Amino acid sequence: MEKMWIGALGLSSLLGIFGSLVAAENATLAHVEIDGNAFFDSKTGERFYIRGVDYQPGGSSNLTDPLADIEICKRDVPKFQDLGLNAVRVYTVDNTQDHTECMQMLAEAGVYVILDVNTPDSSISRSNPGCSYNADYLQTVFATIDVFANYSNVLGFFAGNEVINDETNTNTATYVKAVVRDMKKYMRARNYRQIPVGYSAADVTENVQLAAHYFNCGDDADARVDMFGVNDYSWCGKSSFQVSGYSTKVKAYSNYSVPLFLSEFGCTKVTPRPFTEIGSIYSTQMSSVFSGGLVYEYSNEANNYGLVQIDSDTSVTTLQDYQNLKSEFESTQNPTGDGNYAKNNNVSTCPTYEAGKWEANNTLPAMPSAASAFFSKGAGEPMGTGYPTQFRCGDTNLSDYFTADAASTTQSASLSSSSASEGSSSSSASSSSSATSATSSTQSSSKSKGNAVAAAEVPTLFRAMAHVWNYVL
């Protein structure tokens, strides 16, 4: 790394890089790798099934990074162990923070992390996806990769969550697929482990299968997802493999060539939830196609999908859903052997463009040219969770305005923080969850990062504030 670039990184970036290197040395888990349409433990060679929960305590109304608070991790990791989990999905993290202790604690507990790389203010916009796909947005994504790439218990990254949530915004898929491509190329350019990159889809009857095939089609392997998640709430109460529609889904995805799993499940039409779907998810009924799933969600928020009620930073109260899920996990073993996975399924055929039904192009936009510098120098200063990028149209890399030379800057800047927008899982035959992730939004908050902008030259700050003010207007 060039000397002058190190000078511009800032203390928080250096601490984050150092923390990642320490984590790489201390990690106790072998990374999970992909073969065909299944996950495998890279050390033992055993088939890996995701037994996890979606994890964002506080939800969108009180957005916090659970992997940066050691007290929260001390509170929750033992509960993950008690449930028998091996994975958690986290929707939003603050890439300015140090995650070393929590990631190590999770690794020691045998828990992997599936991480969404977006934030409420920095994501592909449903209303203007082309504008939101810009160099500043990619900087935030790449900076998050920088922070987490060296933890061996990162199972994968999600490039988007429910960006397509009805039949009117399928055009957004083109830009999410470009982000998948850019993330994979960035990791290769930075000599990181090629961590799987995927997409988490809303179970929209009209297009969820089209989305699955679109993200897994084409000649460019970098643009194809390595894994695909479906947010599915079709099994309600004491249903069955047939009645729930699970059997239909297994048949529909039988030729899918990459790992498929339920990135959210747990219908609340019947409460407390009995979680009887566990018996089918981890059986040979589904193991040839699906590799487990994640229960929505760990903490009880306003939507009442929780397994626990958070009492304080140090204590939780387990709910009946928790006890039911624990009982189902304890009584259900993974299929023996390789679960009849498919090693050599062909990639999908790209869906045909059809106005009003499927409007994603097969020709992807070129990466914004200003972002190419990140490939050689790294993403630079992380900007955290309140850095708005959705309406920064054009090829200009506005994050330059927020990057300061440590030798000549003393002015601290603090711009207003952002609030998270709440996504929703859609399914015509299921209950809808209020997702804590805001990886896509119909409108952008016109607020900028506060504490992450630790130092900025006064003229630079004025220019940055002028640009932010333009977005407000």
Side-chain angles (χ1 to χ4, degrees), residues 258-311:
V258 299
L260 190 72
F261 59 98
L262 302 177
S263 41
E264 294 178 7
F265 73 90
C267 171
T268 58
K269 286 184 177 179
V270 177
T271 58
R273 293 178 287 180
F275 290 113
T276 51
E277 62 263 53
I278 295 296
S280 286
I281 294 171
Y282 303 95
S283 74
T284 54
Q285 288 179 313
M286 297 183 68
S287 61
S288 63
V289 176
F290 284 86
S291 293
L294 300 134
V295 173
Y296 190 86
E297 63 181 316
Y298 176 71
S299 56
N300 201 38
E301 310 298 341
N303 51 25
N304 290 318
Y305 277 80
L307 302 176
V308 306
Q309 186 70 50
I310 294 177
D311 302 320

Side-chain angles (χ1 to χ4, degrees), residues 48-127:
F48 183 90
Y49 295 89
I50 296 170
R51 289 177 173 243
V53 297
D54 299 301
Y55 180 55
Q56 196 80 46
S60 61
S61 61
N62 183 27
L63 191 63
T64 58
D65 181 348
L67 303 182
D69 190 322
I70 190 61
E71 291 304 315
I72 289 177
C73 289
K74 287 179 180 178
R75 178 194 69 194
D76 294 337
V77 172
K79 291 291 188 273
F80 300 159
Q81 290 178 291
D82 183 54
L83 282 168
L85 305 184
N86 63 14
V88 294
R89 176 189 180 182
V90 180
Y91 293 87
T92 301
V93 293
D94 184 342
N95 58 19
T96 68
Q97 301 299 310
D98 181 12
H99 303 86
T100 306
E101 288 188 80
C102 285
M103 289 299 290
Q104 181 61 25
M105 187 179 296
L106 288 166
E108 291 172 353
V111 177
Y112 291 85
V113 174
I114 299 171
L115 180 64
D116 291 61
V117 296
N118 296 284
T119 72
D121 284 333
S122 189
S123 57
I124 296 299
S125 166
R126 295 188 185 108
S127 63

